[in-house]
Amino acid sequence: MLPQLVKILNDSYQAVKNDGQDVIAGLTKNPKTLPPKYFYDDYGSELFEQICELPEYYPTRTETSILEKCADEIAELTGSKELVELGSGSSTKTRLLLDAYQKIGNSFTYIPTDVSGGILKTSVLELQEKYPYFSIQGLLGTYEETLAYLESTPAPTRTICFLGSSAGNFSPEKFDHFLTQIARSLQPGNYFLLGIDLHKPKEILESAYNDAQGITAAFNLNMLSHLNWRFQGNFDLNLFSHQAIYNQAESQIEMRLYCQENVTFSLENLDLKVNFQAGENILTEISRKFDLGILQTKLEAKGLKVKKVWIDPKKWFGLILCQA
């Protein structure tokens, strides 16, 4: 059971028979796709925490280095009493912000949100012990469910943060919709803190998503394991291989699972059979890389006024603070 400190936003979240329409839509398309949210069962979340420690995977350590320098300034600029984090995971980097807010005062609420109940439960319990004077309330649900909930529960001193490079997982159309939802979830004067991965050489990008230890490959393949237990599937992971390439024209990493044989798999709970040809692939994730100037213009157009930008010395990663 999840603790009282974790609220389930969608009561049907764990009822797999009512879930999975996005899986059906993605696996019946040509080419096949799957939404990145299916990376994050409890084991997938653990694997992602390992990815963040890999020498090739620069985003986490680069963003952390920025936060180490600017967390106090962010806390002072926003003066927020409520911090909501989308896709919080273990909230490791966010503790730099929580430490900064703690210096300002003890009256503070932190709301981590995630689709993995296991990591959310663990994080909430750890954080409540580390920050006993804070109110810690986890939200179990997707980005859309979280933002709909926030829109219905406005707060006068709220900051929403979206750290990591997760913004790059959205297509341009879905990212536009996401920013619209963010703007609706904020009252005038509220803040939005966004972490973004910037353009850089292809060899650095491809190395980050094809690590030598094979952790990213295991993370990618685990999506099929997640589908197997969630929807009574029979995907054979041994018949798939991981590959991530940088699409220069679209400025995005594309992560795929390639099937090695002609084969048919089924997902019983979805009444779905999926046919594969040898060499056919599933696009499991894109990770877009941003131009800082273009993104700032887009944020401003959504009513999110850019207040300050922080970047690392190599100009690999950026943090943007906006105000509604």
Side-chain angles (χ1 to χ4, degrees), residues 1-258:
M1 292 293 290
L2 293 171
Q4 291 295 316
L5 293 169
V6 174
K7 177 181 178 62
I8 299 177
L9 292 179
N10 178 0
D11 290 335
S12 67
Y13 178 80
Q14 294 175 329
V16 294
K17 65 181 180 181
N18 296 326
D19 203 357
Q21 294 307 304
D22 49 3
V23 173
I24 296 172
L27 291 180
T28 53
K29 283 199 309 186
N30 186 19
K32 295 177 172 62
T33 64
L34 283 169
K37 73 178 186 182
Y38 290 105
F39 286 131
Y40 299 102
D41 61 356
D42 289 349
Y43 182 55
S45 295
E46 290 175 15
L47 286 171
F48 185 71
E49 295 298 315
Q50 294 179 41
I51 288 171
C52 292
E53 300 294 326
L54 292 169
E56 301 97 329
Y57 195 74
Y58 63 85
T60 302
R61 64 174 180 271
T62 307
E63 186 177 37
T64 299
S65 71
I66 298 171
L67 280 168
E68 287 171 345
K69 295 176 181 177
C70 72
D72 287 348
E73 187 178 3
I74 291 171
E76 292 287 346
L77 284 170
T78 62
S80 294
K81 299 297 183 183
E82 179 185 284
L83 179 68
V84 182
E85 182 175 10
L86 303 176
S88 56
S90 63
S91 302
T92 303
K93 295 187 299 263
T94 319
R95 298 176 199 214
L96 295 167
L97 287 172
L98 297 181
D99 290 342
Y101 281 114
Q102 190 167 238
K103 295 175 186 176
I104 297 176
N106 290 329
S107 177
F108 188 82
T109 299
Y110 173 53
I111 304 176
T113 76
D114 209 279
V115 293
S116 171
I119 198 165
L120 187 61
K121 173 185 176 180
T122 300
S123 298
V124 166
L125 293 174
E126 285 181 1
L127 291 167
Q128 194 66 82
E129 184 174 344
K130 181 174 174 60
Y131 303 96
Y133 298 107
F134 285 3
S135 171
I136 312 286
Q137 173 69 67
L139 296 180
L140 178 63
T142 63
Y143 299 144
E144 288 200 348
E145 290 164 349
T146 297
L147 292 174
Y149 173 79
L150 294 176
E151 187 177 352
S152 68
T153 56
T157 58
R158 169 179 290 164
T159 294
I160 297 176
C161 70
F162 193 37
L163 301 177
S165 53
S166 299
N169 297 154
F170 294 112
S171 68
E173 297 77 18
K174 289 183 178 178
F175 186 55
D176 184 80
H177 176 65
F178 171 78
L179 291 180
T180 298
Q181 285 188 293
I182 289 287
R184 289 175 179 168
S185 303
L186 298 172
Q187 290 188 302
N190 285 177
Y191 289 89
F192 176 47
L193 180 65
L194 175 64
I196 55 161
D197 202 0
L198 303 173
H199 295 305
K200 58 187 64 62
K202 175 180 179 178
E203 58 270 18
I204 295 171
L205 292 167
E206 291 193 347
S207 176
Y209 293 84
N210 294 287
D211 64 276
Q213 296 183 49
I215 306 298
T216 309
F219 174 71
N220 199 8
L221 286 163
N222 183 65
M223 182 182 279
L224 299 181
S225 292
H226 185 179
L227 297 185
N228 279 347
W229 71 255
R230 189 161 175 173
F231 302 114
Q232 289 290 293
N234 65 345
F235 282 106
D236 183 349
L237 275 60
N238 293 318
L239 295 183
F240 288 87
S241 61
H242 157 84
Q243 186 178 20
I245 60 100
Y246 183 59
N247 183 331
Q248 196 88 39
E250 300 293 335
S251 299
Q252 65 189 27
I253 282 283
E254 296 172 355
M255 204 151 77
R256 301 176 187 272
L257 290 171
Y258 284 83

Side-chain angles (χ1 to χ4, degrees), residues 295-314:
L295 181 55
Q296 288 184 78
T297 300
K298 189 171 190 64
L299 289 164
E300 298 269 359
K302 293 291 182 180
L304 300 168
K305 182 175 177 58
V306 176
K307 303 296 288 185
K308 190 148 187 180
V309 177
W310 298 268
I311 58 173
D312 66 287
K314 292 181 179 179

